[in-house]
Amino acid sequence: MTRKKLNLSYITNDSMRKTTFNKRKKGFFKKIHELSVLCGIQACAVIYSPFSSTPEVWPSSSEVNKVVKKFEEVPEVEQEKKMVNHEGFLRQTITKTRENSIKKMMNNTDKAMNEAMFQFLRGRGDMFQLNDKHREDLCRHIDQYLKELYHHRKQILNQSHLEYGESSSAANAMTQPNQLRFPMMDNNNHQQL
């Protein structure tokens, strides 16, 4: 059975809030303990709550003091380097999500352009209703695709050695874009049509 999605909002019912606090506090302390044991790090927690007159500490007051002193010995610039408040965390998350979204949009555009390019090569370009902007974008994409193809071909030719007796002019002729002849290819399974 899947867990019900948590509605992250303030719990108005006092007894439910206190019960949730106690459960989550135990889970929080358990996670800190696991983190410190598994990774061999020093960690501590101090919790102030309306349900207790004194703050609750983990693992002990003396350990909390040691960790806090160690933190205070670090220069302030270093202390703040990796500090993130809630607003900063949300900003980082939004930035990463935007960057990821832009990458996916570019990837989708590239795939759509490849599909259109190969459909045109097959003579099925009439299925697209392209305006001038789309035609320009497709032409730019084809130019870039061909440049990458020529570059890749040139790299392969440079890596392979010329056969004995073969002239260098034959290799140069093979790398000239205007002399290359490409058979029509099926993009899905790369077979010649």
Side-chain angles (χ1 to χ4, degrees):
M1 189 166 94
T2 58
R3 258 190 221 181
K4 194 169 74 172
K5 189 173 179 182
L6 174 69
N7 181 15
L8 197 62
S9 62
Y10 181 74
I11 302 169
T12 53
N13 182 313
D14 290 341
S15 62
M16 270 183 70
R17 188 169 62 250
K18 186 173 184 178
T19 304
T20 300
F21 170 75
N22 287 326
K23 272 192 212 173
R24 292 195 175 257
K25 179 184 68 177
K26 284 179 188 172
F28 180 62
F29 286 157
K30 182 180 176 188
K31 289 289 181 191
I32 294 174
H33 173 70
E34 289 171 359
L35 181 66
S36 69
V37 170
L38 292 171
C39 301
I41 61 163
Q42 287 182 297
C44 68
V46 179
I47 297 178
Y48 288 92
S49 78
F51 309 114
S52 175
S53 58
T54 58
E56 297 178 63
V57 294
W58 182 90
S60 65
S61 294
S62 60
E63 287 297 313
V64 168
N65 285 333
K66 284 180 191 175
V67 173
V68 170
K69 279 182 185 171
K70 190 172 182 179
F71 177 73
E72 288 173 341
E73 289 171 2
V74 175
E76 197 171 324
V77 174
E78 291 295 316
Q79 287 178 13
E80 294 174 359
K81 222 178 217 180
K82 293 191 177 182
M83 273 191 203
V84 179
N85 59 16
H86 189 69
E87 184 181 343
F89 173 76
L90 288 176
R91 281 191 181 147
Q92 285 178 356
T93 305
I94 289 168
T95 301
K96 284 180 185 174
T97 304
R98 278 187 184 148
E99 288 171 358
N100 196 16
S101 180
I102 289 168
K103 281 181 188 173
K104 286 183 178 179
M105 284 171 48
M106 289 172 67
N107 194 357
N108 288 342
T109 301
D110 193 51
K111 286 180 180 177
M113 288 292 186
N114 277 341
E115 180 63 26
M117 178 176 68
F118 284 105
Q119 289 296 346
F120 272 99
L121 282 172
R122 287 186 205 112
R124 300 182 194 147
D126 56 341
M127 65 190 287
F128 297 99
Q129 295 177 350
L130 301 178
N131 61 26
D132 289 341
K133 168 88 171 88
H134 292 141
R135 274 198 273 307
E136 286 175 22
D137 290 345
L138 183 59
C139 287
R140 245 191 317 274
H141 181 79
I142 291 169
D143 287 343
Q144 183 61 36
Y145 187 87
L146 288 174
K147 282 179 190 174
E148 289 172 11
L149 198 61
Y150 298 141
H151 177 72
H152 181 67
R153 184 178 180 112
K154 194 172 186 177
Q155 277 184 323
I156 290 172
L157 288 172
N158 287 341
Q159 288 172 357
S160 65
H161 299 295
L162 293 174
E163 294 290 323
Y164 181 76
E166 187 177 6
S167 72
S168 58
S169 60
N172 285 337
M174 291 183 75
T175 60
Q176 296 302 316
N178 58 355
Q179 295 189 15
L180 292 175
R181 299 287 180 252
F182 298 104
M184 285 190 173
M185 300 291 281
D186 181 356
N187 191 29
N188 295 330
N189 55 15
H190 302 291
Q191 295 177 345
Q192 288 188 3
L193 297 175

